[in-house]
Amino acid sequence: MKAKILRALKETKEEFISGARLCEQFGVSRQAVWKNISALKEAGYEIESVSNKGYRLVSSPKRLYGPEIECRLSEGNICKKVLGFDEIDSTNTKAKQLAEFGEEEGTLIIAERQTAGKGRRGRSWSSEKGDGIYMSLLLRPKAIPPKASGLTILASLAVAGAIKKISSLPVEIKWPNDIVAGGKKICGILTEMSSEESYIHYVVIGIGINVNTETFPEELEYRASSIYLETGEKTDRLSLVAEILNSFDTYYKRFMKEQSLVPFLEEYNAVLVNREKEVKIYYGMVETAKPEEIESGIAKGVDGDGSLVVLVDGKEKHIVSGEVSVRGVMDYTD
Ligand code: BTN
């Protein structure tokens, strides 16, 4: 209801909207409208109320408030509910806990700060307050488990497209799902799944974006950056979140209908940072891999299974995400 009222207030812009109209529009009592308006004011919205005129939205807070995100989503969006937290251990952990208790597909967990943000391969994800986007979307796709890697590919396409649109920053994707700008990582995606052999219980897509981060610890500086550091401008996180979710919704519906990544490959391969470049394939941890656990080849692009095709000694190898790491030969990306 809060999201619906917010949308109505935004649509009427500078005009007042009467309490009676809100009651009629949403089929609720005057008291319910008043209660929701009070809750919005408590959440930081400045709403002017004038008797005989109604309500008018004066200003909105910048924080990642669930109803604010919900009211910006396209009609029928796969994301149906947004739960916002000031602080949480990990949005992925929370989404998985909810999923285990039967939460429906389409719930998004988003937080201003994570105290135990998780990265891929057991790493941690630095999640300071207010600068970034830390969010996890719970999905229950009717598909066989191998298709889940495609969802990560689509999430990275949605994030890359949204960053380009909202911040005008030209970004690329480092397979399978890092978003990079200026040769440094600005976003990571952690997909976690619970499944049977031929059935997916749920998939959680966790997205961490360095949006307005001004500095990184010295040990991360050479490979981590933020949209702010690359553009010199602060980005509105709410607009970016909404754009990602609206774009992902389009990709997701098409993918579920066609049960194939093929329609998206051209778009993905066009922004693949390592394409036609030499890469190293690590069959162990990058940091500790022995020489016999490293192979070199030329990355050709991604195939219909979401695997990276690498030409090694004239033979095509299809590298499955999660099994190995791929790095550029010179540094993090190239
Ligand atoms: C990576 O290692 O590149 C993946 C990083 C994923 C971080 C995000 S932040 C939101 C979600 N919650 C987590 O604990 N991790 C993911």
Side-chain angles (χ1 to χ4, degrees), residues 89-93 114 116-120 123 125 127 133-136 177-178 185 187-190 206-209:
D89 50 358
S90 150
T91 55
N92 263 39
T93 305
Q114 295 184 118
K118 297 185 297 182
R120 295 176 73 220
R123 297 190 181 104
W125 183 262
S127 314
I133 291 172
Y134 318 111
M135 64 181 188
S136 302
N177 46 29
D178 288 354
K185 178 164 168 171
C187 164
I189 300 177
L190 174 67
I207 301 173
I209 311 175

Side-chain angles (χ1 to χ4, degrees), residues 83 85 88-104 107-110 118 135-140 192 202-206:
L83 302 177
F85 293 83
I88 203 167
D89 50 358
S90 150
T91 55
N92 263 39
T93 305
K94 182 72 183 177
K96 288 197 297 178
Q97 282 164 354
L98 290 175
E100 295 293 342
F101 282 101
E103 184 75 19
E104 281 177 26
T107 296
L108 182 87
I109 310 295
I110 190 159
K118 297 185 297 182
M135 64 181 188
S136 302
L137 181 63
L138 169 62
L139 297 170
R140 294 189 184 274
E192 297 186 86
Y202 63 83
V203 173
V204 167
I205 301 182

Side-chain angles (χ1 to χ4, degrees), residues 120 123 125 174 177-189 208 210 216 222-226 332-333:
R120 295 176 73 220
R123 297 190 181 104
W125 183 262
K174 178 183 167 293
N177 46 29
D178 288 354
I179 310 295
V180 297
K184 295 180 179 181
K185 178 164 168 171
I186 58 169
C187 164
I189 300 177
N210 304 327
F216 285 92
Y222 78 100
R223 62 184 166 102
S225 190
S226 68
Y332 166 69
T333 54

